[in-house]
Each structure stands twice: as C-alpha cells, then as structure tokens.
Amino acid sequence: MDFAMGWNRFNLTLLGVYPEPRKMSRNSRLMSSLIFWFTTLVTFTFICAPQTANLILKSTSLDEVIENLSINIPIVFALIKQIVLRYYKKALTELLGEMLADWSGPIGDQDRETMLRNARLSRAISIVCSTLTYFMLLAFVSLQVWSNAENASETDLGGLLHPATFPYETSKSPNYEITWLGQLMGTVLTAICYSCFDTFLAVLVLHLCGQLTVLGTALEDLVNATRRNDYKTFEQRLSSIVNRHNHLSRFAVIVEDCFNITLLVQTLICTAMFCLTGYRMITSVDREDEADVPIVGIIFFIIHVIYTMLHLFIYCYVGETLLGQSTGIGLSTYHCNWYDLPSRRAVLLMIVIRRANVSFQITAGKFSPFSLEFFNAVLKTSAGYLSVLLAMKDRLVEGK
C-alpha cells in the first residue's frame, strides 16, 4: 500500500488532509488540523479573495476577465478539493484501512502480482501528474516574474504573482515581499492539492479494480478448486465470493458518494479551462508584436492545457477500467466449469452473473459515468465553446 500511496501520502500530509488508517497520536492529529487551517487560510487570504475582488472591481475587458478566471477558477476549486478531503476524512480513512487490510492479509503469488500491477500503475500516474504540476508551476512563476520585470521601474517594484486587489498598499516594501511570498505559497499548495486529489482517487479506484480482478480469478477457479462431490465446500467458497463482491460494492459506493459532486464540478471546470487557456494561448500567438510573446508563456499555456485534460482523462480511464472489471465478474463466472456441476448447484451462479450486470461506477454528480466516450464528448464540447469565444473576440475587434 505504501508503494502505491507514497506520493499521495506525502502531498496530502503537506496539506493536513491525509486520512491515515493507522493509529495516530493526539499531537499528530492536532498538527494535521493546524496545517490544514493554515494552508487554507493562506490560499484564501492571498489569492482567492483578492483575485475575486480584482475581478469585480478592476476587470473591464474580455481579455482581463478571461485572464482572471483562468487562474482564479482552478485555485478556488483546488481549495474546495482540500476542504472535501477534510470533510470526508473519516470515510476515506475507512477505505484506506480496507486497502491496508487487503495488502496485509494472506495473498497468493498470482493475486499479489495482480495487485502490484495496479499499484505500479497508480504510482506511475502519481509521479507523472506531480512532475507535470511542478513543470507548470515553474513555467507559471517564470512567466509572471518575466512579465513583472518588464513592467518594473525604480519606483515600482513590479506586479504581484497574481493580479489581485488588497485592502493595503502592495507596491511598497515589505508589503510587496510578504504578499508575493504569500501568493507563491498559496499557488504551490493549491497546485499540489489539485493534482494529488485526482491521483488519490485514481489509487482508490485502481485498487478496487485489482480486487475485482482477484475476485474474477477466484470465480474462474471455483469449480476446479472444489473437490469432486464436495458441494458443501463449493457453497462455502461461493458464499465467501458473494460476500467479498458485496464488500467491494460497498467500497465503490463510498468512493462514489465522497467524490461524485466534486467530479461534476471538475468536469465543468475542465471544459471551461480548456476554453479559457486555449483562448489565451491563441490570442497571445496572434499578436502582431511577436516580441510580446515569451516562449515560457507559450510553454505554460501548452502544459496547462495538457495538465487539465490529463486529469480528466485519468478520471475517464479509471472509470472505464472500473466499468469493465465490475461487469467482467459475470464473464468470469461464465468461464468457470459450471457444466461440471449438478444443475441445482450451477443455478446458484446465475445470481452472481445477474448481480454483476449492475456495474460499479464513478460518475459526474450521478449524471454520467466516467468513460473514454465521456472524455471524447467533453473534448468536443470544449472545442465548441472555444470557437464561440474566438468568434466573440473577432466581433468585438470588428466593432471597434
């Protein structure tokens, strides 16, 4: 479990929201709460509230509104993700406890290899997303520093990391330095939260998929593992499999209940961010003065688009995998040597097949299950909205 969850454990501990399944001391719980409230307060005080005030009070053009929203929306949502993890900490702790029990119990070599295969995939997803997050942070900070250096003067220290409106003078020292560092800290924390929330969900779902694979293998071997005419052992094994399937179904329901509303908002935000970031990138490239377009800015926009859509793809990929593995239980039941059983025993397997027709799902607000088809639909919708934004921009230019 530590192999699959290691990166997420480190990142979520930095935010004070890691649902530790092992026993914690009172001081550790207190420290976790303090870290959570401190990081939340820093992000809200230095980024969310000032940027929202700037949007309302000082944004006068379409480009300024889009620039503000393209930064403020993911940061606000990352803060919401952090709060959601804290709110469902008890339920998530229960899920991690079950994961720990799965890894700690007696496991056959074949089943362990299946679980390790999913754990390796989970770890790879965490590493790739974390690395992309750090690259995007570096590109964004470099872009802002470059832009501020271009506009700075002897009397003006330059702009902040994020355009924002504060109730105090930010152009004077040390207010400028304190505010800039506060925004940098909030940006790093929200980027980590935005990424590790998604990878944490991927680890949970992929572990569930691994357990379904193990269960399917047990079903395929059910008849072969039962000695001839030992139907009492057959019924005991089948009962154990049914109970395990119900247990995994409960695991899937808890994951769905904890995350479905957040995933609905995530889908809407991914659609919006693809439009807004794509608009900013295209309008930057279309400028007549190419000197105004820093290479690091284009790199940031490209990474941001890839980053946003990659996270949505992760949801859809693990959702598709979960759908396939859960309905595959029925196929595994069919593939066992049921024809070697008496009809009175073989008919019991029909109940398992019928139950497996109800697939496990992660959904966007219980409206639509995540799948690769859903990912394709979101991409098409985002591209359509982007074309509308570009058409509005052209009309505004022609109107002038």
Side-chain angles (χ1 to χ4, degrees):
M1 174 179 154
D2 289 336
F3 177 78
M5 191 65 70
W7 280 71
N8 293 285
R9 180 178 183 179
F10 174 76
N11 289 329
L12 292 176
T13 301
L14 286 178
L15 301 170
V17 292
Y18 180 68
E20 177 60 63
R22 302 175 181 89
K23 188 176 181 180
M24 296 177 63
S25 65
R26 184 174 179 275
N27 290 337
S28 298
R29 292 195 299 270
L30 179 60
M31 180 60 68
S32 177
S33 297
L34 290 176
I35 292 174
F36 167 76
W37 288 111
F38 173 75
T39 55
T40 302
L41 185 62
V42 167
T43 303
F44 181 80
T45 303
F46 286 100
I47 302 182
C48 298
Q51 273 201 314
T52 303
N54 188 75
L55 174 66
I56 297 172
L57 299 176
K58 295 186 177 180
S59 297
T60 57
S61 66
L62 177 62
D63 287 349
E64 289 178 349
V65 171
I66 289 177
E67 181 180 359
N68 185 295
L69 291 177
S70 64
I71 298 173
N72 199 20
I73 287 177
I75 288 178
V76 170
F77 187 57
L79 186 62
I80 293 174
K81 284 183 173 182
Q82 186 175 350
I83 295 171
V84 167
L85 288 173
R86 182 73 181 185
Y87 181 78
Y88 289 111
K89 191 172 183 178
K90 183 177 180 181
L92 296 176
T93 301
E94 181 181 349
L95 294 182
L96 289 190
E98 293 182 11
M99 284 183 61
L100 184 62
D102 291 339
W103 282 103
S104 302
I107 311 172
D109 292 339
Q110 182 181 356
D111 295 344
R112 180 175 290 277
E113 182 57 34
T114 299
M115 294 169 64
L116 281 174
R117 185 166 58 249
N118 283 273
R120 293 188 193 102
L121 179 58
S122 301
R123 187 177 178 85
I125 289 174
S126 300
I127 292 174
V128 169
C129 290
S130 297
T131 303
L132 196 58
T133 297
Y134 299 141
F135 272 118
M136 189 182 68
L137 274 173
L138 180 61
F140 174 76
V141 174
S142 300
L143 174 64
Q144 294 302 100
V145 170
W146 180 89
S147 178
N148 293 344
E150 288 287 309
N151 300 323
S153 64
E154 293 182 0
T155 58
D156 185 6
L157 295 173
L160 297 171
L161 188 60
H162 300 283
T165 300
F166 288 88
Y168 57 86
E169 183 60 52
T170 59
S171 60
K172 296 180 180 180
S173 183
N175 293 353
Y176 174 79
E177 289 82 359
I178 293 174
T179 305
W180 202 94
L181 288 175
Q183 288 192 331
L184 177 62
M185 183 183 299
T187 302
V188 172
L189 291 172
T190 51
I192 290 174
C193 183
Y194 193 97
S195 175
C196 67
F197 179 95
D198 300 341
T199 55
F200 178 72
L201 173 62
V203 171
L204 291 176
V205 176
L206 288 175
H207 177 79
L208 176 59
C209 292
Q211 294 303 304
L212 286 169
T213 303
V214 170
L215 189 66
T217 302
L219 271 168
E220 291 181 4
D221 294 339
L222 176 62
V223 178
N224 294 334
T226 304
R227 288 181 297 177
R228 188 173 183 83
N229 298 326
D230 189 3
Y231 298 121
K232 183 177 181 180
T233 302
F234 168 80
E235 292 177 359
Q236 289 175 348
R237 289 177 180 272
L238 181 61
S239 175
S240 176
I241 289 173
V242 170
N243 288 334
R244 180 58 178 165
H245 190 242
N246 287 333
H247 188 76
L248 294 178
S249 175
R250 179 175 171 273
F251 188 104
V253 168
I254 294 175
V255 172
E256 165 71 6
D257 290 344
C258 290
F259 293 105
N260 73 88
I261 299 299
T262 309
L263 294 183
L264 173 62
V265 180
Q266 173 89 8
T267 303
L268 298 176
I269 287 178
C270 284
T271 305
M273 292 310 301
F274 181 85
C275 299
L276 299 179
T277 306
Y279 175 87
R280 291 182 65 192
M281 181 172 63
I282 293 173
T283 52
S284 296
V285 173
D286 286 344
R287 288 178 185 172
E288 294 181 2
D289 184 5
E290 293 185 0
D292 291 336
V293 188
I295 296 299
V296 69
I298 302 302
I299 293 175
F300 166 71
F301 290 139
I302 293 174
I303 293 177
H304 196 186
V305 170
I306 295 174
Y307 176 84
T308 301
M309 302 317 295
L310 174 63
H311 281 257
L312 181 61
F313 176 78
I314 289 171
Y315 289 145
C316 294
Y317 172 77
V318 299
E320 180 86 16
T321 304
L322 182 61
L323 283 170
Q325 293 290 350
S326 59
T327 54
I329 293 296
L331 191 61
S332 297
T333 307
Y334 176 75
H335 283 161
C336 77
N337 298 335
W338 51 268
Y339 41 79
D340 291 336
L341 296 171
S343 57
R344 291 175 56 187
R345 299 296 190 283
V347 75
L348 297 175
L349 298 176
M350 294 179 61
I351 301 174
V352 179
I353 295 175
R354 181 66 185 89
R355 175 65 182 83
N357 287 335
V358 181
S359 61
F360 299 171
Q361 299 177 348
I362 54 171
T363 66
K366 297 188 182 297
F367 287 106
S368 176
F370 281 93
S371 63
L372 297 180
E373 182 181 357
F374 181 74
F375 178 73
N376 186 43
V378 171
L379 281 183
K380 289 181 179 179
T381 304
S382 301
Y385 291 155
L386 176 58
S387 66
V388 171
L389 277 179
L390 294 173
M392 288 177 58
K393 176 181 178 296
D394 292 340
R395 283 194 175 185
L396 290 174
V397 172
E398 292 173 0
K400 294 180 180 179

Short mmCIF file of all heavy atoms in Angstrom, two decimals, residues 31-64:
data_model
loop_
_atom_site.label_atom_id
_atom_site.label_comp_id
_atom_site.label_asym_id
_atom_site.label_seq_id
_atom_site.Cartn_x
_atom_site.Cartn_y
_atom_site.Cartn_z
N MET A 31 -1.55 18.51 14.91
CA MET A 31 -0.67 19.10 13.91
C MET A 31 -1.31 19.06 12.52
O MET A 31 -1.21 20.02 11.75
CB MET A 31 0.67 18.36 13.89
CG MET A 31 1.67 18.91 12.88
SD MET A 31 2.09 20.65 13.18
CE MET A 31 2.98 20.48 14.74
N SER A 32 -1.97 17.95 12.20
CA SER A 32 -2.66 17.84 10.91
C SER A 32 -3.74 18.90 10.78
O SER A 32 -3.88 19.54 9.72
CB SER A 32 -3.26 16.45 10.78
OG SER A 32 -4.00 16.33 9.58
N SER A 33 -4.50 19.14 11.85
CA SER A 33 -5.55 20.16 11.81
C SER A 33 -4.96 21.56 11.64
O SER A 33 -5.47 22.38 10.87
CB SER A 33 -6.38 20.10 13.09
OG SER A 33 -7.05 18.87 13.21
N LEU A 34 -3.88 21.83 12.34
CA LEU A 34 -3.24 23.15 12.24
C LEU A 34 -2.72 23.39 10.82
O LEU A 34 -2.86 24.50 10.28
CB LEU A 34 -2.10 23.26 13.26
CG LEU A 34 -2.51 23.35 14.74
CD1 LEU A 34 -1.28 23.34 15.64
CD2 LEU A 34 -3.34 24.59 14.99
N ILE A 35 -2.10 22.37 10.23
CA ILE A 35 -1.59 22.51 8.86
C ILE A 35 -2.73 22.78 7.89
O ILE A 35 -2.63 23.64 7.00
CB ILE A 35 -0.81 21.24 8.45
CG1 ILE A 35 0.48 21.13 9.27
CG2 ILE A 35 -0.49 21.27 6.97
CD1 ILE A 35 1.22 19.83 9.02
N PHE A 36 -3.85 22.05 8.06
CA PHE A 36 -4.99 22.25 7.17
C PHE A 36 -5.51 23.68 7.25
O PHE A 36 -5.71 24.34 6.22
CB PHE A 36 -6.11 21.27 7.53
CG PHE A 36 -7.43 21.60 6.89
CD1 PHE A 36 -7.64 21.33 5.55
CD2 PHE A 36 -8.45 22.19 7.63
CE1 PHE A 36 -8.85 21.65 4.95
CE2 PHE A 36 -9.66 22.50 7.04
CZ PHE A 36 -9.87 22.23 5.69
N TRP A 37 -5.74 24.18 8.46
CA TRP A 37 -6.29 25.52 8.60
C TRP A 37 -5.31 26.59 8.15
O TRP A 37 -5.70 27.60 7.56
CB TRP A 37 -6.72 25.76 10.05
CG TRP A 37 -7.95 25.00 10.43
CD1 TRP A 37 -8.05 23.95 11.30
CD2 TRP A 37 -9.27 25.20 9.92
NE1 TRP A 37 -9.33 23.49 11.36
CE2 TRP A 37 -10.11 24.24 10.54
CE3 TRP A 37 -9.82 26.10 9.02
CZ2 TRP A 37 -11.46 24.16 10.26
CZ3 TRP A 37 -11.18 26.02 8.72
CH2 TRP A 37 -11.98 25.06 9.36
N PHE A 38 -4.02 26.37 8.37
CA PHE A 38 -3.01 27.34 7.94
C PHE A 38 -2.96 27.42 6.41
O PHE A 38 -2.98 28.52 5.83
CB PHE A 38 -1.65 26.96 8.50
CG PHE A 38 -0.52 27.82 7.97
CD1 PHE A 38 -0.34 29.13 8.44
CD2 PHE A 38 0.35 27.33 7.01
CE1 PHE A 38 0.69 29.91 7.94
CE2 PHE A 38 1.37 28.11 6.52
CZ PHE A 38 1.55 29.41 6.98
N THR A 39 -2.87 26.28 5.74
CA THR A 39 -2.78 26.28 4.29
C THR A 39 -4.06 26.83 3.65
O THR A 39 -4.00 27.56 2.65
CB THR A 39 -2.51 24.87 3.77
OG1 THR A 39 -3.52 23.96 4.26
CG2 THR A 39 -1.14 24.37 4.22
N THR A 40 -5.21 26.50 4.23
CA THR A 40 -6.47 27.02 3.71
C THR A 40 -6.53 28.53 3.85
O THR A 40 -6.94 29.25 2.93
CB THR A 40 -7.65 26.37 4.45
OG1 THR A 40 -7.60 24.96 4.31
CG2 THR A 40 -8.97 26.88 3.91
N LEU A 41 -6.12 29.04 5.01
CA LEU A 41 -6.17 30.47 5.26
C LEU A 41 -5.21 31.24 4.34
O LEU A 41 -5.56 32.30 3.82
CB LEU A 41 -5.81 30.75 6.73
CG LEU A 41 -5.93 32.20 7.21
CD1 LEU A 41 -7.37 32.67 7.09
CD2 LEU A 41 -5.44 32.33 8.65
N VAL A 42 -4.01 30.69 4.12
CA VAL A 42 -3.04 31.35 3.25
C VAL A 42 -3.60 31.46 1.83
O VAL A 42 -3.53 32.54 1.20
CB VAL A 42 -1.71 30.57 3.24
CG1 VAL A 42 -0.81 31.05 2.10
CG2 VAL A 42 -0.98 30.76 4.56
N THR A 43 -4.15 30.38 1.31
CA THR A 43 -4.67 30.40 -0.06
C THR A 43 -5.85 31.35 -0.19
O THR A 43 -5.92 32.13 -1.16
CB THR A 43 -5.11 28.98 -0.46
OG1 THR A 43 -4.01 28.08 -0.34
CG2 THR A 43 -5.60 28.96 -1.90
N PHE A 44 -6.75 31.33 0.76
CA PHE A 44 -7.93 32.19 0.68
C PHE A 44 -7.55 33.67 0.85
O PHE A 44 -8.04 34.53 0.12
CB PHE A 44 -8.95 31.80 1.76
CG PHE A 44 -10.20 32.63 1.73
CD1 PHE A 44 -11.20 32.36 0.81
CD2 PHE A 44 -10.37 33.70 2.61
CE1 PHE A 44 -12.36 33.13 0.77
CE2 PHE A 44 -11.52 34.46 2.58
CZ PHE A 44 -12.51 34.18 1.66
N THR A 45 -6.64 33.96 1.77
CA THR A 45 -6.29 35.34 2.10
C THR A 45 -5.47 36.01 0.99
O THR A 45 -5.71 37.17 0.65
CB THR A 45 -5.51 35.41 3.42
OG1 THR A 45 -6.30 34.81 4.46
CG2 THR A 45 -5.18 36.84 3.79
N PHE A 46 -4.51 35.28 0.43
CA PHE A 46 -3.59 35.89 -0.51
C PHE A 46 -3.98 35.71 -1.98
O PHE A 46 -3.46 36.44 -2.83
CB PHE A 46 -2.17 35.34 -0.31
CG PHE A 46 -1.50 35.86 0.92
CD1 PHE A 46 -1.46 35.11 2.08
CD2 PHE A 46 -0.93 37.12 0.94
CE1 PHE A 46 -0.85 35.59 3.23
CE2 PHE A 46 -0.31 37.61 2.08
CZ PHE A 46 -0.27 36.85 3.24
N ILE A 47 -4.88 34.75 -2.28
CA ILE A 47 -5.20 34.52 -3.70
C ILE A 47 -6.71 34.62 -3.96
O ILE A 47 -7.14 35.47 -4.74
CB ILE A 47 -4.67 33.15 -4.16
CG1 ILE A 47 -3.16 33.07 -3.95
CG2 ILE A 47 -4.99 32.94 -5.63
CD1 ILE A 47 -2.53 31.78 -4.42
N CYS A 48 -7.50 33.76 -3.34
CA CYS A 48 -8.91 33.65 -3.71
C CYS A 48 -9.68 34.95 -3.52
O CYS A 48 -10.28 35.48 -4.46
CB CYS A 48 -9.57 32.51 -2.92
SG CYS A 48 -8.87 30.89 -3.26
N ALA A 49 -9.67 35.48 -2.29
CA ALA A 49 -10.42 36.70 -2.01
C ALA A 49 -9.89 37.90 -2.79
O ALA A 49 -10.67 38.63 -3.41
CB ALA A 49 -10.41 36.97 -0.50
N PRO A 50 -8.57 38.17 -2.81
CA PRO A 50 -8.06 39.33 -3.58
C PRO A 50 -8.31 39.22 -5.08
O PRO A 50 -8.60 40.22 -5.74
CB PRO A 50 -6.56 39.33 -3.26
CG PRO A 50 -6.43 38.59 -1.98
CD PRO A 50 -7.49 37.54 -2.04
N GLN A 51 -8.21 38.01 -5.64
CA GLN A 51 -8.45 37.87 -7.07
C GLN A 51 -9.92 38.07 -7.41
O GLN A 51 -10.25 38.66 -8.45
CB GLN A 51 -8.00 36.49 -7.54
CG GLN A 51 -6.54 36.41 -7.92
CD GLN A 51 -6.24 35.24 -8.83
OE1 GLN A 51 -6.69 34.13 -8.59
NE2 GLN A 51 -5.47 35.48 -9.86
N THR A 52 -10.80 37.60 -6.56
CA THR A 52 -12.23 37.81 -6.78
C THR A 52 -12.56 39.30 -6.70
O THR A 52 -13.34 39.82 -7.51
CB THR A 52 -13.05 37.03 -5.75
OG1 THR A 52 -12.71 35.63 -5.82
CG2 THR A 52 -14.54 37.19 -5.99
N ALA A 53 -11.96 39.99 -5.74
CA ALA A 53 -12.16 41.44 -5.62
C ALA A 53 -11.63 42.16 -6.86
O ALA A 53 -12.26 43.10 -7.37
CB ALA A 53 -11.45 41.96 -4.37
N ASN A 54 -10.50 41.71 -7.38
CA ASN A 54 -9.93 42.31 -8.58
C ASN A 54 -10.83 42.09 -9.80
O ASN A 54 -10.98 42.98 -10.64
CB ASN A 54 -8.54 41.72 -8.84
CG ASN A 54 -7.81 42.43 -9.96
OD1 ASN A 54 -7.32 43.53 -9.80
ND2 ASN A 54 -7.74 41.77 -11.11
N LEU A 55 -11.43 40.90 -9.87
CA LEU A 55 -12.35 40.59 -10.97
C LEU A 55 -13.55 41.54 -10.95
O LEU A 55 -13.98 42.05 -11.98
CB LEU A 55 -12.81 39.14 -10.87
CG LEU A 55 -13.89 38.68 -11.85
CD1 LEU A 55 -13.36 38.71 -13.28
CD2 LEU A 55 -14.39 37.29 -11.49
N ILE A 56 -14.08 41.78 -9.76
CA ILE A 56 -15.29 42.61 -9.63
C ILE A 56 -14.98 44.09 -9.81
O ILE A 56 -15.72 44.84 -10.47
CB ILE A 56 -15.95 42.36 -8.25
CG1 ILE A 56 -16.42 40.90 -8.15
CG2 ILE A 56 -17.12 43.31 -8.03
CD1 ILE A 56 -16.91 40.51 -6.77
N LEU A 57 -13.86 44.55 -9.25
CA LEU A 57 -13.59 45.99 -9.18
C LEU A 57 -12.78 46.53 -10.36
O LEU A 57 -12.97 47.69 -10.75
CB LEU A 57 -12.83 46.30 -7.88
CG LEU A 57 -13.56 45.97 -6.57
CD1 LEU A 57 -12.66 46.23 -5.37
CD2 LEU A 57 -14.86 46.76 -6.47
N LYS A 58 -11.90 45.70 -10.96
CA LYS A 58 -10.95 46.27 -11.91
C LYS A 58 -10.94 45.62 -13.29
O LYS A 58 -10.28 46.14 -14.19
CB LYS A 58 -9.54 46.21 -11.33
CG LYS A 58 -9.36 47.07 -10.09
CD LYS A 58 -7.91 47.09 -9.62
CE LYS A 58 -7.73 48.03 -8.42
NZ LYS A 58 -6.33 48.08 -7.96
N SER A 59 -11.61 44.50 -13.47
CA SER A 59 -11.61 43.85 -14.79
C SER A 59 -12.64 44.54 -15.68
O SER A 59 -13.84 44.52 -15.40
CB SER A 59 -11.94 42.36 -14.65
OG SER A 59 -10.95 41.71 -13.90
N THR A 60 -12.16 45.17 -16.77
CA THR A 60 -13.03 45.97 -17.63
C THR A 60 -13.13 45.43 -19.05
O THR A 60 -13.96 45.92 -19.82
CB THR A 60 -12.51 47.42 -17.69
OG1 THR A 60 -11.15 47.41 -18.15
CG2 THR A 60 -12.57 48.07 -16.30
N SER A 61 -12.31 44.48 -19.42
CA SER A 61 -12.34 43.95 -20.78
C SER A 61 -12.48 42.43 -20.75
O SER A 61 -12.25 41.79 -19.72
CB SER A 61 -11.07 44.33 -21.54
OG SER A 61 -9.93 43.69 -20.97
N LEU A 62 -12.83 41.86 -21.91
CA LEU A 62 -13.00 40.41 -22.01
C LEU A 62 -11.69 39.69 -21.71
O LEU A 62 -11.68 38.69 -21.00
CB LEU A 62 -13.49 40.04 -23.41
CG LEU A 62 -13.65 38.54 -23.69
CD1 LEU A 62 -14.69 37.91 -22.77
CD2 LEU A 62 -14.01 38.31 -25.16
N ASP A 63 -10.57 40.22 -22.22
CA ASP A 63 -9.27 39.59 -22.00
C ASP A 63 -8.90 39.58 -20.53
O ASP A 63 -8.36 38.60 -20.02
CB ASP A 63 -8.18 40.30 -22.80
CG ASP A 63 -8.28 40.00 -24.29
OD1 ASP A 63 -9.06 39.10 -24.65
OD2 ASP A 63 -7.60 40.68 -25.08
N GLU A 64 -9.18 40.68 -19.81
CA GLU A 64 -8.87 40.75 -18.38
C GLU A 64 -9.73 39.77 -17.58
O GLU A 64 -9.24 39.13 -16.64
CB GLU A 64 -9.07 42.17 -17.87
CG GLU A 64 -8.04 43.16 -18.37
CD GLU A 64 -8.30 44.58 -17.88
OE1 GLU A 64 -9.41 44.81 -17.32
OE2 GLU A 64 -7.43 45.45 -18.04
#
